[in-house]
Amino acid sequence: MQPFYVSPGTVFKFAADTSSILIAADGVTRYTVAITNPSGGEQVQYAGIRCDTYQWRLYGTFENNKLVKSPLNSWNDIKPKVTNRYQTVLASGAFCSFNTQEKSSATVLNSLNPKSFTGGTKPSNSMGQIIGY
């Protein structure tokens, strides 16, 4: 699991399962993300991002180690101005190059590295060292 920074307003922590990232020929990058709330509760989602239309889709959530399909698994616009915008930061920081799907797994994985991730403003101290993720 690779933690990534989302926004200064969120109280949740986010981490992508790098082994789950699938750059598919249909133009969708599929992935699993873990979302942890402040009390330690975790939800794991299986979702996809389309760069050409800047949309995301929730395929399902994992419950008791089993994927449960989402009844609301339609394509949704990625909204950049919401607090828990993890889809926005994954699209802009790793999965897409403008409106084109990134085709290189190595580039996506390197982009998710906290030292190079550009999906959100990285938390750092006065020395420029990344903290908290």
Side-chain angles (χ1 to χ4, degrees):
M1 298 298 281
Q2 177 63 62
F4 60 94
Y5 180 72
V6 172
S7 78
T10 185
V11 296
F12 295 96
K13 293 192 182 232
F14 300 86
D17 178 357
T18 56
S19 67
S20 74
I21 297 170
L22 172 65
I23 301 169
D26 64 359
V28 179
T29 300
R30 292 172 178 84
Y31 60 93
T32 302
V33 64
I35 304 165
T36 307
N37 68 32
S39 63
E42 185 177 75
Q43 182 182 64
V44 178
Q45 298 178 346
Y46 180 59
I49 288 178
R50 290 193 73 90
C51 300
D52 60 347
T53 60
Y54 209 59
Q55 293 180 307
W56 75 282
R57 182 178 196 168
L58 176 64
Y59 295 107
T61 57
F62 287 92
E63 297 172 17
N64 299 320
N65 294 323
K66 205 174 193 183
L67 181 64
V68 177
K69 284 187 175 184
S70 172
L72 306 172
N73 70 349
S74 59
W75 288 102
N76 300 286
D77 292 337
I78 294 175
K79 297 185 173 133
K81 302 225 183 226
V82 294
T83 303
N84 296 321
R85 61 182 184 264
Y86 82 84
Q87 301 91 353
T88 302
V89 300
L90 285 176
S92 66
F95 295 165
C96 306
S97 177
F98 297 99
N99 65 343
T100 304
Q101 179 187 37
E102 177 55 60
K103 301 288 187 190
S104 166
S105 294
T107 299
V108 168
L109 294 177
N110 184 55
S111 295
L112 284 170
N113 181 318
K115 294 184 187 311
S116 59
F117 187 66
T118 60
T121 304
K122 296 180 269 186
S124 63
N125 63 21
S126 62
M127 304 297 286
Q129 297 168 317
I130 298 169
I131 56 172
Y133 290 87

